[in-house]
Amino acid sequence: MSSLHGVERSALATVRHGLSLTPEFRKGMVGTLALAVLATVGKVIVPIAVQQTIDRGLKGSIPDLPYIRTAVLLCAAAVVLTALCAYLMNVRLYRATEASLATLRTRGFRHVHDLSVLTQNSERRGALVSRVTGDVDQISVFMQWGGLMIIIAMGQLLVATVLMFVYSWQLALTVWVCFLPLLVVLPRFQRWLSSAYTQVRERAGDLLAAVGESVVGAAVIRAHGSEARTAERLDVAIEANKAAQARTQRIVATVFPVTEIVAALATTAVVLIGVRLGVAGDITAGRLIAFLFLITLFVSPMQTATEMLNEAQNAIAGWRRILGVLDTPPDVADPGEDGVELPRGPISVSFEEVGFAYPGGAPVLTDVTLDIPPRSRIAVVGETGSGKTTFAKLLTRLMDPVSGRVTVDGHDLRGVRFSSLRERIVMVPQDGFLFDGTLEENIRFGRPSATREEILLALTELGLADWLEGLPEGLDTPVGQRGESLSAGERQLVALVRAYLADPDLLLLDEATSAVDPATEVRLARALDGVTRGRTAVSIAHRLSTAEAADEVLVFDAGRVVQRGPHAELVGEPGVYAGLHASWVSAARS
Amino acid sequence: MASKVTSAVMRQGFRVLGVAIRAERGVFAVAVLSSAVYGVMTVASAWALGWATQNLVLPSLSEGRIATGALTATVLLILGVALLKALGVAGRRYFAGVMQYRMQARSRREVTRQYLKLPLAWHHKHPTGQLLSNASADAEAAWGPLAPLPMAVGVVVMLITAAFALVATDPVLALVGFLIFPAIAVLNFVYQRKLSPLATKAQQLRAEVSEIAHESFDGALVVKTLGREDEEAARFRARAEELRDANIAVGRVRGLFDPLLEALPTLGVLAVLLAGAGRLEGGAITPGVLVQVAYLFTLLAFPIRALGWVLAELPRAVVGYERVRSVLDTTGSMEYGSANLTGESPASLRVRGLGYAYGDSAVLHEVDLDVPPGRTVALVGPTGSGKSTLAQTFVRLVDPARGAVMIDGVDLREVVRGGVSETVALVPQQTFLFDDTVRGNVTLGLPVGDEDVWAALRLAQADGFVSALPEGLDTKVGERGTSLSGGQRQRLALARALVRRPRLLVLDDATSSVDPQVEAKILQGLRDASQASTVVVVAYRMATIALADEVVYLDHGRVADRGPHGELLLRCRGYRNLVTAYEREEAEREALDAEEEEEVSA
């Protein structure tokens, strides 16, 4: 189950809500619809021309050629005019829909970034991507093609009906009686199609996820020779997707011929009843024949409507999915304008009876109360799963506590504007994700306004000038997809420089140099020691010296802070820290 | 120039269609046959109405008496024709769909198989987003024209039938048709020529938008921690707006030509009425014929556009097909030999003269290495010295550019497909978990029982946290599963390697996120394990290194020194600096503290 579930809405409400999010679409829509109406009127020109030719032009034994000529030329002029209307309508429609969809896409994209890490991680990446790509494409196909066809079809139906009633109300009723059952049956088919299309989209999402795994996990698959199993999983996803598609086609292939049959029945009925009416003198031959043409106008809306239901269903499914993203409230929300702007300067942090648990999970942090004074250097230690990373995520407000509160300089984190928060508090996660680009571009991600000189300076200050010189193209070295052209240790170095360049007042390192070699790490630690002087620094430590150098060590165990104080003090006390210390010492010296 | 390009695209497009037709002959034949029935019956329905007009409507109304025989014939004619037409439509639609989906699935299977076959180096050169779209959007685009194709063929049948029917009916009215329908065809051609480059560009941009979204969501944590959401949104918006403009350009062309293509047949009907009236005057045709021809033109107006749909899809299809093809045509997939790595005992590893380069930058030079069976060797070196690359050559994730890697004396390139991974297991630095259960992630499809899985988990010190998971081995982990810590993920990855009972185990800094005391237990376990194996371990921790029988010190892609840890410490300065960095730092700190104390006491 996806955690991105919007409000339950009917198809119509979904479309209406979707459109309301994009004002570009509504702008000028009245004019576009007016043009559409004019374009639709063009459809009845042929039946009128046929009726006029037969009834007026062929009245006597000799055709009234001048009359026919005038009528036909007038009709031709009308055809050209309605074509022009159609052109104008199309251009306006494309402009409006594309503009609104670009907005929808961008909003969806932005919203995904606004969602908490918790929500982001609960979604499969491929499925998330398709919400701002494929799903929006489906909507655009519908708005410019299917949706328009439906509007034109309705107009055509209306215009044809009006003309039918003008010609003969009896025959008009006959036609409607023939087509009415279709109007009852079609919604049922629509429901089947609707569920079938939801299946298609879900299977397509599964497919993307399966392909994504096989691509991202390429190294693991090869290393363990599990190609056959991966291929099998892919085949299952591919076949399921195909089967879902074929099911929709079976439904459509049933709907389509039914309208053909109904049209034939209507034509037969019109001929049967029309001839009788004609014999009675209630209808002219021209009008009766015009009816046969009008029925074709009646048929194609029904047919196109069923055909366009394909796309309508696709689009509504697409809309639901993108609205599902937009409707999901960012559970860790930016207070925005109402939020507090923190002034620059050393930061103090307080945890007040903070507790955290993942949804449906056991508590990860319990009753954590502590103060981090400004300019202090804190080391966080504890065994795997003791709650260190959760602590880091709460401190940087990647997540909000379930109970209690976290304050920065006395302000509840939930009330601090993100722009201010992210500027002042920066975390370097363990896995330094890099974007496909050069080293320089990746470092500049920390502060977009930084010059090349500032970037070089940052590298030098962190003692990484030597490492940079060793790279083939220096700052212009491409890092590759996800930074994979660099080693894991090098990626961590880049991530660290990137965060340092952001110039935060509180720097939080979550085992940020775990993959770097000891000599480089020691150099880095020293350099960081210098550059973070005057700032608050929190390090989740994975080795002894970080803890030793800290002003204070926080010892986590099973989600609680069980010990705190300077290393020298803690190491002498019996407790968790002494145990950790002993194992570190043996790891470093054995 | 443009026309040359376009006609080339069209030719390629038809070649793509040819591929599908050859692959799905049977389905295509049924779809086309159905569509032909539909085409002929469409013309027949116009003829039926013309016949009814002439033999039923006009005589009955002028004589004031219903022609009963003609009435029955009309009913049978209309309903009979409609029934056949309906069958044709149903068959055409269903089988066109089947053909399209089969081809899509076929391409997807081929592309994903190829992904699994191609070497890792190829993967590193291609963005994830691009590979995803090759298997999804491109495979879809490539076979897009197959949906309207049978209908288009049916339309051709329809046009030919109509041409014969027209000529047989009245040559003058036929002439009107012969002017109008070629005009529609020419207009269609111009349409596609204008549309093709625009559609191609839009398709390209669509892929780029997708790639940006993929990368950005992958790096969501970095974006968030640095507060770069606005910049990322701006980057995405810029490309989304380019796509918007490209789509509007496409729409402008569509918006012009679609109404024109609709107006032409209507003008044709009017021309028929005009010319037909003249013919009526001379008595050359009956009013029934006039109705028949006019009706025929009305019926043809819509389906004739199916030709345009196919043509419209072709450029996209060509782009999609070429993107799919470029994956399938990539050579350089790994070649396998026929040698088997048999044996139960620990394997020996030998590396001779190995060199490797990423593009122009060489990372490994002339590496020689020997690991006798059952021994443990530590690979040590500064960040970026080429350790991981070297480790990858041991399991043949990459092939060396020069030199060779041999297991039990057999060059890895000579080993049968699957033979290397049965013998050697690598635990990489970065852990990847599949969207699957713990069991699935450990076995990766290997047919082993739960006892073996638990044994591997125990050895990896992962049994504790796994048994605490809500559903134990059946707990979903990976992208949408329970979130595990870095250390827990690493231990699962280790279990994944151990369950395979490898004869050579390669650990590439694989326990970096594991607590030292847990790591010590793991390493202890590996030493005592009944499943003895040769071990190569990339590590920095002194405790890990100390367990090794021999240390190989790698610097700048070369083996700088080798020997027991103690000896290297004494004679190799670079090694000493690297592994004793923490100790020295601590010593300095203690000295500093002592100094301070002295100062205080003084």
Side-chain angles (χ1 to χ4, degrees):
Chain A
M1 260 310 280
S2 164
S3 61
L4 300 178
H5 36 71
V7 186
E8 281 295 321
R9 288 193 184 88
S10 68
L12 197 66
T14 303
V15 174
R16 199 181 298 142
H17 186 63
L19 292 180
S20 76
L21 290 174
T22 50
E24 294 91 335
F25 185 73
R26 288 211 212 151
K27 220 178 95 196
M29 211 12 84
V30 175
T32 308
L33 283 177
L35 285 169
V37 169
L38 287 176
T40 312
V41 171
K43 307 269 183 182
V44 291
I45 291 172
V46 164
I48 291 174
V50 169
Q51 185 263 333
Q52 289 293 315
T53 304
I54 292 176
D55 282 351
R56 299 281 299 274
L58 305 180
K59 225 165 195 168
S61 53
I62 296 165
D64 183 354
L65 280 180
Y67 179 84
I68 292 175
R69 208 167 289 140
T70 315
V72 164
L73 285 178
L74 273 177
C75 287
V79 168
V80 172
L81 211 65
T82 53
L84 186 67
C85 288
Y87 166 67
L88 292 175
M89 173 207 64
N90 279 336
V91 171
R92 290 171 68 108
L93 187 73
Y94 270 98
R95 274 214 197 108
T97 52
E98 284 300 332
S100 73
L101 291 177
T103 305
L104 195 62
R105 223 189 267 282
T106 313
R107 281 181 72 153
F109 176 88
R110 182 68 170 81
H111 200 85
V112 167
H113 276 304
D114 284 342
L115 296 171
S116 72
V117 281
L118 216 54
T119 317
Q120 284 172 349
N121 291 342
S122 65
E123 281 298 303
R124 287 177 300 187
R125 211 65 88 216
L128 220 42
V129 172
S130 80
R131 288 180 193 241
V132 295
T133 56
D135 289 332
V136 175
D137 292 339
Q138 292 288 1
I139 302 174
S140 97
V141 168
F142 168 71
M143 296 240 262
Q144 292 155 7
W145 183 241
L148 176 68
M149 291 284 249
I150 286 175
I151 288 175
I152 287 182
M154 303 260 261
Q156 191 168 319
L157 215 60
L158 188 73
V159 176
T161 305
V162 169
L163 197 61
M164 279 182 176
F165 273 98
V166 170
Y167 284 161
S168 160
W169 64 268
Q170 298 97 324
L171 288 186
L173 282 181
T174 307
V175 172
W176 266 106
V177 165
C178 289
F179 278 99
L180 266 181
L182 261 191
L183 292 184
V184 179
V185 175
L186 287 182
R188 177 155 305 163
F189 274 109
Q190 186 197 334
R191 276 196 293 281
W192 289 342
L193 260 185
S194 172
S195 84
Y197 270 108
T198 307
Q199 287 272 316
V200 169
R201 296 232 48 89
E202 283 174 8
R203 294 295 87 80
D206 292 347
L207 178 68
L208 271 180
V211 177
E213 262 191 2
S214 76
V215 170
V216 181
V220 176
I221 292 164
R222 278 163 186 70
H224 295 307
S226 66
E227 284 94 344
R229 171 177 178 268
T230 311
E232 214 171 276
R233 279 161 70 99
L234 280 164
D235 282 355
V236 169
I238 291 169
E239 285 303 312
N241 183 47
K242 190 182 87 175
Q245 286 174 321
R247 200 162 77 89
T248 64
Q249 211 49 233
R250 270 201 297 281
I251 298 173
V252 174
T254 321
V255 177
F256 218 66
V258 169
T259 46
E260 287 287 347
I261 304 278
V262 169
L265 286 174
T267 307
T268 317
V270 163
V271 171
L272 281 177
I273 298 170
V275 170
R276 281 189 176 77
L277 288 173
V279 169
D282 287 340
I283 192 168
T284 63
R287 288 185 167 196
L288 178 51
I289 289 160
F291 248 94
L292 303 179
F293 281 81
L294 283 170
I295 290 174
T296 66
L297 283 185
F298 230 72
V299 178
S300 67
M302 299 281 176
Q303 266 183 358
T304 43
T306 48
E307 186 159 27
M308 292 319 144
L309 280 179
N310 282 352
E311 278 154 20
Q313 291 309 323
N314 272 346
I316 288 166
W319 241 314
R320 284 219 169 96
R321 289 162 60 87
I322 182 121
L323 290 180
V325 171
L326 291 173
D327 284 344
T328 306
D331 37 357
V332 178
D334 183 1
E337 294 293 300
D338 304 333
V340 183
E341 186 89 33
L342 298 170
R344 299 229 41 155
I347 276 187
S348 69
V349 180
S350 293
F351 272 57
E352 298 170 15
E353 293 171 2
V354 169
F356 185 83
Y358 288 96
V364 188
L365 278 190
T366 319
D367 203 15
V368 173
T369 300
L370 52 86
D371 289 300
I372 298 174
R375 295 193 184 82
S376 60
R377 228 159 280 255
I378 305 290
V380 178
V381 301
E383 286 195 28
T384 305
S386 60
K388 290 174 296 183
T389 296
T390 305
F391 169 75
K393 283 180 177 167
L394 293 175
L395 173 52
T396 48
R397 207 178 168 225
L398 289 176
M399 306 187 302
D400 280 332
V402 172
S403 59
R405 62 181 202 144
V406 180
T407 65
V408 169
D409 292 349
H411 302 287
D412 190 321
L413 265 189
R414 281 173 284 217
V416 179
R417 226 186 264 185
F418 270 14
S419 56
S420 175
L421 178 69
R422 300 290 180 225
E423 194 182 272
R424 307 220 35 221
I425 301 181
V426 168
M427 172 167 100
V428 186
Q430 195 173 2
D431 177 20
F433 181 92
L434 303 188
F435 292 88
D436 192 10
T438 65
L439 193 60
E440 181 179 352
E441 285 162 358
N442 270 287
I443 297 176
R444 183 169 290 123
F445 200 78
R447 180 155 53 92
S449 64
T451 63
R452 198 174 163 98
E453 286 66 42
E454 288 174 305
I455 290 171
L456 284 170
L457 184 66
L459 279 156
T460 311
E461 284 176 348
L462 290 176
L464 297 172
D466 289 351
W467 168 68
L468 183 69
E469 264 169 39
L471 292 173
E473 293 166 67
L475 275 183
D476 298 320
T477 306
V479 303
Q481 274 295 304
R482 311 155 68 89
E484 277 161 5
S485 300
L486 302 180
S487 75
E490 289 174 315
R491 284 203 289 276
Q492 288 190 333
L493 296 183
V494 180
L496 195 66
V497 183
R498 177 167 67 189
Y500 173 58
L501 189 70
D503 192 22
D505 294 315
L506 188 155
L507 188 62
L508 195 158
L509 307 177
D510 183 2
E511 301 192 10
T513 51
S514 58
V516 176
D517 72 72
T520 308
E521 194 180 19
V522 166
R523 244 187 304 144
L524 258 180
R526 270 191 207 151
L528 276 172
D529 212 41
V531 296
T532 57
R533 215 161 278 272
R535 306 173 203 237
T536 313
V538 179
S539 313
I540 295 186
H542 64 110
R543 58 187 201 91
L544 188 60
S545 63
T546 317
E548 284 176 347
D551 298 330
E552 190 171 21
V553 181
L554 299 175
V555 185
F556 276 77
D557 189 43
R560 291 174 190 274
V561 178
V562 290
Q563 280 176 296
R564 58 176 304 175
H567 161 76
E569 228 169 74
L570 293 184
V571 77
E573 290 175 14
V576 177
Y577 188 73
L580 280 171
H581 183 255
S583 78
W584 272 336
V585 169
S586 73
R589 300 199 184 131
S590 56
Chain B
M1 192 61 202
S3 76
K4 244 188 194 166
V5 170
T6 309
S7 61
V9 167
M10 288 297 152
R11 262 203 308 282
Q12 276 169 297
F14 284 116
R15 215 169 298 142
V16 174
L17 294 181
V19 170
I21 293 167
R22 272 193 299 280
E24 291 291 343
R25 273 199 199 93
V27 179
F28 183 69
V30 178
V32 163
L33 196 71
S34 306
S35 191
V37 169
Y38 151 79
V40 172
M41 286 307 129
T42 301
V43 178
S45 66
W47 176 79
L49 274 197
W51 187 88
T53 304
Q54 193 57 35
N55 297 300
L56 175 68
V57 177
L58 294 179
S60 300
L61 264 62
S62 62
E63 287 162 29
R65 185 174 63 81
I66 297 170
T68 326
L71 192 71
T72 317
T74 300
V75 170
L76 290 177
L77 255 181
I78 293 176
L79 290 181
V81 166
L83 199 65
L84 283 175
K85 190 175 166 189
L87 283 176
V89 169
R92 180 197 81 205
R93 272 209 79 103
Y94 179 66
F95 289 103
V98 167
M99 182 170 175
Q100 185 192 7
Y101 303 143
R102 279 196 188 176
M103 290 310 293
Q104 272 179 20
R106 187 187 296 253
S107 287
R108 285 178 174 149
R109 274 196 301 271
E110 286 172 354
V111 166
T112 51
R113 283 290 187 290
Q114 182 78 346
Y115 286 170
L116 293 175
K117 251 189 247 162
L118 286 170
L120 211 55
W122 182 87
H123 275 267
H124 287 160
K125 271 184 258 160
H126 293 81
T128 309
Q130 187 190 323
L131 298 190
L132 273 178
S133 95
N134 287 156
S136 56
D138 292 331
E140 200 168 310
W143 308 117
L146 293 182
L149 180 64
M151 171 144 180
V153 177
V155 167
V156 171
V157 173
M158 191 189 293
L159 287 177
I160 293 170
T161 317
F164 279 109
L166 279 175
V167 171
T169 313
D170 183 64
V172 173
L173 293 186
L175 198 65
V176 175
F178 290 160
L179 284 177
I180 287 292
F181 291 111
I184 292 175
V186 168
L187 197 65
N188 238 329
F189 179 74
V190 176
Y191 182 11
Q192 297 320 321
R193 214 180 83 172
K194 291 244 182 280
L195 194 62
S196 166
L198 298 174
T200 310
K201 191 180 169 209
Q203 169 79 352
Q204 183 60 39
L205 282 166
R206 198 168 287 125
E208 286 173 22
V209 164
S210 171
E211 279 159 27
I212 291 182
H214 210 277
E215 189 188 44
S216 188
F217 293 168
D218 257 354
L221 184 63
V222 173
V223 173
K224 206 181 267 298
T225 50
L226 289 168
R228 290 284 162 268
E229 291 94 339
D230 288 339
E231 284 81 357
E232 282 299 283
R235 179 162 84 107
F236 181 80
R237 185 185 302 117
R239 205 50 57 89
E241 283 176 357
E242 270 182 61
L243 172 61
R244 174 196 66 196
D245 295 341
N247 279 340
I248 290 176
V250 167
R252 216 181 276 281
V253 173
R254 287 221 170 113
L256 175 65
F257 281 91
D258 280 344
L260 280 182
L261 282 172
E262 197 165 329
L264 262 187
T266 310
L267 291 175
V269 174
L270 295 176
V272 163
L273 291 178
L274 204 60
R279 300 286 287 162
L280 275 173
E281 190 181 26
I285 60 165
T286 61
V289 166
L290 190 61
V291 169
Q292 179 199 330
V293 176
Y295 193 77
L296 183 62
F297 277 36
T298 313
L299 290 186
L300 287 180
F302 184 70
I304 202 166
R305 298 172 71 187
L307 292 175
W309 298 339
V310 174
L311 293 179
E313 290 281 332
L314 279 187
R316 261 189 78 199
V318 169
V319 173
Y321 184 74
E322 276 171 357
R323 286 172 62 120
V324 167
R325 247 358 293 177
S326 78
V327 174
L328 299 183
D329 291 343
T330 302
T331 49
S333 64
M334 288 205 165
E335 301 291 325
Y336 297 90
S338 55
N340 280 301
L341 294 171
T342 50
E344 296 291 320
S345 55
S348 75
L349 172 72
R350 172 182 298 182
V351 175
R352 282 291 170 269
L354 185 143
Y356 192 83
Y358 286 108
D360 293 333
S361 57
V363 290
L364 292 171
H365 315 266
E366 290 294 318
V367 175
D368 290 335
L369 186 72
D370 281 291
V371 185
R375 307 275 278 182
T376 299
V377 165
L379 271 182
V380 181
T383 302
S385 58
K387 303 178 300 288
S388 292
T389 307
L390 185 59
Q392 289 185 352
T393 64
F394 300 164
V395 283
R396 229 194 145 198
L397 278 183
V398 293
D399 276 334
R402 270 181 310 283
V405 178
M406 284 161 276
I407 300 236
D408 291 346
V410 183
D411 189 322
L412 290 188
R413 283 167 293 204
E414 303 295 320
V415 176
V416 291
R417 170 185 285 272
V420 174
S421 59
E422 273 174 14
T423 310
V424 192
L426 167 82
V427 187
Q429 232 167 354
Q430 226 77 30
T431 310
F432 179 80
L433 293 185
F434 292 89
D435 189 17
D436 201 345
T437 59
V438 170
R439 182 189 293 103
N441 264 293
V442 171
T443 64
L444 293 183
L446 195 74
V448 290
D450 280 3
E451 315 85 70
D452 289 335
V453 174
W454 280 115
L457 288 171
R458 248 193 313 279
L459 208 47
Q461 298 293 321
D463 54 329
F465 78 84
V466 170
S467 55
L469 288 173
E471 288 161 78
L473 286 184
D474 292 313
T475 310
K476 280 263 190 188
V477 293
E479 255 206 297
R480 287 208 296 183
T482 309
S483 52
L484 298 176
S485 75
Q488 290 170 330
R489 296 167 69 94
Q490 281 194 332
R491 281 179 275 168
L492 280 192
L494 183 60
R496 181 189 280 166
L498 293 174
V499 82
R500 307 185 133 62
R501 300 181 165 271
R503 298 198 291 122
L504 169 63
L505 179 64
V506 185
L507 304 173
D508 181 6
D509 201 13
T511 46
S512 58
S513 304
V514 179
D515 300 323
Q517 63 271 39
V518 178
E519 191 196 26
K521 280 187 212 157
I522 293 174
L523 294 171
Q524 211 56 52
L526 284 181
R527 290 226 113 178
D528 305 340
S530 52
Q531 51 176 93
S533 70
T534 313
V535 179
V536 175
V537 53
V538 175
Y540 296 126
R541 282 186 192 159
M542 193 84 97
T544 321
I545 297 169
L547 284 176
D549 301 306
E550 193 190 27
V551 175
V552 173
Y553 179 59
L554 214 60
D555 195 14
H556 288 103
R558 293 174 196 278
V559 176
D561 204 346
R562 66 200 325 158
H565 171 63
E567 281 179 25
L568 283 195
L569 265 186
L570 289 177
R571 69 163 183 251
C572 178
R573 206 162 70 91
Y575 180 73
R576 190 165 54 237
N577 281 341
L578 187 76
V579 297
T580 62
Y582 299 144
E583 282 181 319
R584 280 182 293 117
E585 192 203 13
E586 206 182 323
E588 278 172 31
R589 192 193 321 280
E590 274 163 16
L592 213 66
D593 288 350
E595 247 170 60
E596 276 172 20
E597 269 169 39
E598 272 172 32
E599 274 170 30
V600 171
S601 61

